[in-house]
Amino acid sequence: MNVLSIPPVIRRFARYFTDAGFSLYIVGGAVRDHLLGLKSEDYDFTTDALPDQVMQLFKHVIPTGIEHGTVTVHFEKQSFEVTTFRSEADYIDGRHPSSVTFIPSLEEDLKRRDFTINAFAADCRDGRIIDLHDGKKDLKNKIIRAIGDPRQRFAEDALRILRAARIAAKLNFSIEMQTLSAMGMLKENLSKVSAERIRDELFKLVLSDHPATGLSYLKEQGILTVILPEFKACDGLFQGGMHHEDVLSHSISACQASAAFASTLEVRLAALLHDIGKCEVVVPTEDRNTFKSHELVGEMITQSLLKRLKASNNLIKDVSHLVRHHMFDYQSNWSDSAVRRFIARVGLQYIPRLLQLRIADQVAIHGKANTVLLDELHHRIKAIIEEHDALSIKDLAVNGNDLLDLGIPKGEKIGATLSYLLETVLDDPGQNNREQLLDLAEKYQSLAVFTN
């Protein structure tokens, strides 16, 4: 494990550097993951060659961050990011060094990195691993420790605060006390970090195997409510009843529970955010609080929060939709019509994810999930799908053009009529034939005109 196996393509890539008198090292996560026995194909490189010299060695080079010494080399249909050894001046804005100095020393370059377990380098000639900061010892002890003074490391780049929590969540490691304390002390510097960078770290954390590890560190140090202030009123908010945790702690537990069976970001985020509306609607009672319609408020808060983080429109739509519908209360006495209306209301494509969210919520509350009713609902939905029942307007035997031919004017009346027909078919799927629906549409229009 003290030697990294260098893939043949990287050996050929490195030969361009060594033949020109330069050195090339693999650095960071790929070396760490190798030492942990994890598979990694995401390689970052560092070299004593200056950016201009790297650009002279290869035909296809993109100056992706040349002001900081980074270029991307396209080599044998792969892309390799290469950064020149460098030292950095003060980080005046808490995000970027005021200046960068290229240096010939690997040792000096490794000093500027964030954590000891990320400061390994592997020589691309023979795979020999260089460890100048006792990173192997911290790996063995499962500890995340800042290099040098942790306050200086986090003052240089506040995003490292989230990165520490994200790595803890990925590896289920502990954060060393001085490092953790510095994270809390400098948490307000995260206001200087772009929403996109915060989003990327947060989403990676949520998608890890141990999100509760990272989220709990952020909660304990008051960092989580800096990046997600919508949670501030949820921290310590009593629930009572079947809940044994406050709203924020329960949300973290639900996110962790979702990690066992849900791999999608939508479900993981919905598990974290599903109760975020409770702080807005809380009504205290003697032995418990009530939170009527918190799912509707939560939908709006989720949309606002994800927009601020510059999430994609599709992700915002999917996560907020799951939050809105997470309080469904299926019972065995639901009629088939009620099940069809549930499918129509939620959307067939969301059902599997909504069931995963419900299971995560149950596990967070009870420690395990009782899926008897959920399994029953799943089987009933499957049976309805196999019957090819109409579940949306597009499933109807008529469409808007058919209604136009009846003389129904384009616009609101077409939409209202189609909605009426769908409601009728949800009650009685046997009505979904063209002749009957056109007859119903004519009668509906007559009734509508008479009512007006």
Side-chain angles (χ1 to χ4, degrees):
M1 297 293 282
N2 289 323
V3 175
L4 177 65
S5 178
I6 307 297
V9 64
I10 293 178
R11 288 186 181 275
R12 294 192 293 272
F13 179 61
R15 198 168 298 131
Y16 281 78
F17 290 84
T18 55
D19 287 352
F22 301 114
S23 57
L24 184 71
Y25 297 89
I26 296 172
V27 290
V31 186
R32 179 197 69 214
D33 289 349
H34 163 75
L35 291 169
L36 290 170
L38 303 175
K39 193 171 183 179
S40 176
E41 296 179 356
D42 184 16
Y43 297 104
D44 291 322
F45 300 88
T46 189
T47 180
D48 52 353
L50 297 173
D52 288 344
Q53 293 171 323
V54 177
M55 297 178 78
Q56 291 171 10
L57 292 177
F58 300 93
K59 291 181 180 179
H60 304 291
V61 184
I62 300 174
T64 44
I66 197 166
E67 70 277 9
H68 296 117
T70 301
V71 296
T72 300
V73 182
H74 294 300
F75 180 80
E76 296 187 10
K77 298 182 180 181
Q78 296 192 47
S79 296
F80 297 133
E81 189 173 276
V82 181
T83 302
T84 301
F85 298 162
R86 70 190 193 197
S87 63
E88 298 167 341
D90 293 339
Y91 284 63
I92 295 174
D93 63 356
R95 292 182 297 168
H96 308 109
S98 56
S99 65
V100 169
T101 303
F102 301 130
I103 56 177
S105 169
L106 173 67
E107 291 78 10
E108 289 298 314
D109 180 82
L110 294 178
K111 283 182 183 179
R112 70 174 178 81
R113 298 183 181 272
D114 49 14
F115 309 111
T116 62
I117 62 172
N118 285 342
F120 301 110
D123 194 320
C124 288
R125 294 172 300 181
D126 54 16
R128 179 176 57 92
I129 295 176
I130 299 166
D131 175 19
L132 304 178
H133 298 281
D134 287 331
K136 290 179 184 176
K137 180 180 178 182
D138 284 340
L139 275 184
K140 181 180 178 181
N141 294 324
K142 299 184 177 182
I143 289 175
I144 298 168
R145 185 193 313 272
I147 293 174
D149 182 353
R151 290 171 299 179
Q152 183 178 345
R153 294 289 82 78
F154 295 131
E156 289 168 350
D157 184 357
L159 191 67
R160 288 171 171 169
I161 294 171
L162 297 187
R163 193 174 300 138
R166 189 253 298 171
I167 296 171
K170 176 183 178 180
L171 302 176
N172 202 23
F173 276 21
S174 300
I175 301 177
E176 181 265 336
M177 286 305 301
Q178 289 187 335
T179 302
L180 184 62
S181 176
M183 289 166 60
M185 290 171 57
L186 296 172
K187 61 181 180 289
E188 298 299 335
N189 285 1
L190 283 164
S191 63
K192 302 175 184 178
V193 179
S194 71
E196 293 89 343
R197 294 179 79 205
I198 289 175
R199 174 200 65 208
D200 291 347
E201 288 294 334
L202 179 63
F203 286 5
K204 287 177 184 176
L205 189 162
V206 167
L207 281 171
S208 69
D209 289 340
H210 310 279
T213 299
L215 291 170
S216 294
Y217 276 128
L218 296 180
K219 174 182 178 290
E220 291 163 11
Q221 295 298 316
I223 300 164
L224 189 59
T225 51
V226 170
I227 62 171
L228 301 178
E230 295 86 350
F231 269 129
K232 188 168 290 187
C234 296
D235 191 3
L237 180 58
F238 172 75
Q239 298 192 83
M242 60 186 176
H243 285 276
H244 62 280
E245 295 179 303
D246 64 47
V247 173
L248 180 52
S249 296
H250 167 70
S251 300
I252 292 173
S253 294
C255 185
Q256 180 60 53
S258 73
F261 47 81
S263 60
T264 65
L265 180 60
E266 307 94 84
V267 175
R268 300 280 190 98
L269 284 174
L272 179 63
L273 301 173
H274 72 287
D275 278 347
I276 201 165
K278 283 187 171 180
C279 60
E280 297 288 337
V281 299
V282 57
V283 176
T285 61
E286 187 173 337
D287 62 341
R288 57 174 295 179
N289 289 335
T290 61
F291 307 96
K292 185 178 180 181
S293 299
H294 73 273
E295 69 276 15
L296 304 181
V297 177
E299 176 189 28
M300 293 186 290
I301 294 175
T302 297
Q303 289 172 347
S304 174
L305 181 157
L306 292 177
K307 283 179 183 176
R308 190 182 70 251
L309 292 178
K310 302 189 185 302
S312 70
N313 289 335
N314 283 339
L315 184 66
I316 294 171
K317 179 186 71 174
D318 289 350
V319 177
S320 60
H321 188 78
L322 291 173
V323 170
R324 177 187 180 92
H325 292 287
H326 81 272
M327 288 295 291
F328 72 92
D329 184 25
Y330 171 76
Q331 299 296 326
S332 295
N333 61 4
W334 276 21
S335 65
D336 286 346
S337 172
V339 175
R340 286 191 290 269
R341 289 178 186 280
F342 172 74
I343 299 171
R345 184 170 65 253
V346 173
L348 190 60
Q349 72 273 29
Y350 287 102
I351 299 292
R353 288 173 286 179
L354 189 62
L355 297 182
Q356 290 177 337
L357 176 57
R358 170 56 62 86
I359 293 171
D361 196 11
Q362 285 190 5
V363 172
I365 296 171
H366 303 293
K368 60 181 180 179
N370 182 344
T371 63
V372 172
L373 286 176
L374 295 181
D375 291 339
E376 181 181 293
L377 175 60
H378 171 73
H379 289 306
R380 292 185 68 182
I381 290 171
K382 185 178 179 182
I384 286 170
I385 294 170
E386 289 173 352
E387 290 293 326
H388 302 290
D389 290 350
L391 300 170
S392 65
I393 286 174
K394 66 181 177 58
D395 298 327
L396 294 173
V398 298
N399 58 34
N401 290 329
D402 296 318
L403 301 187
L404 284 172
D405 291 342
L406 281 180
I408 299 174
K410 184 182 292 186
E412 274 187 39
K413 288 191 176 181
I414 290 280
T417 304
L418 287 171
S419 295
Y420 167 74
L421 296 178
L422 176 61
E423 289 295 314
T424 301
V425 169
L426 289 172
D427 278 333
D428 180 6
Q431 302 248 38
N432 192 27
N433 66 78
R434 177 180 171 80
E435 184 178 343
Q436 201 153 349
L437 291 183
L438 291 176
D439 182 57
L440 284 169
E442 285 189 305
K443 291 178 178 177
Y444 177 73
Q445 286 305 304
S446 300
L447 178 62
V449 170
F450 177 79
T451 302
N452 289 335

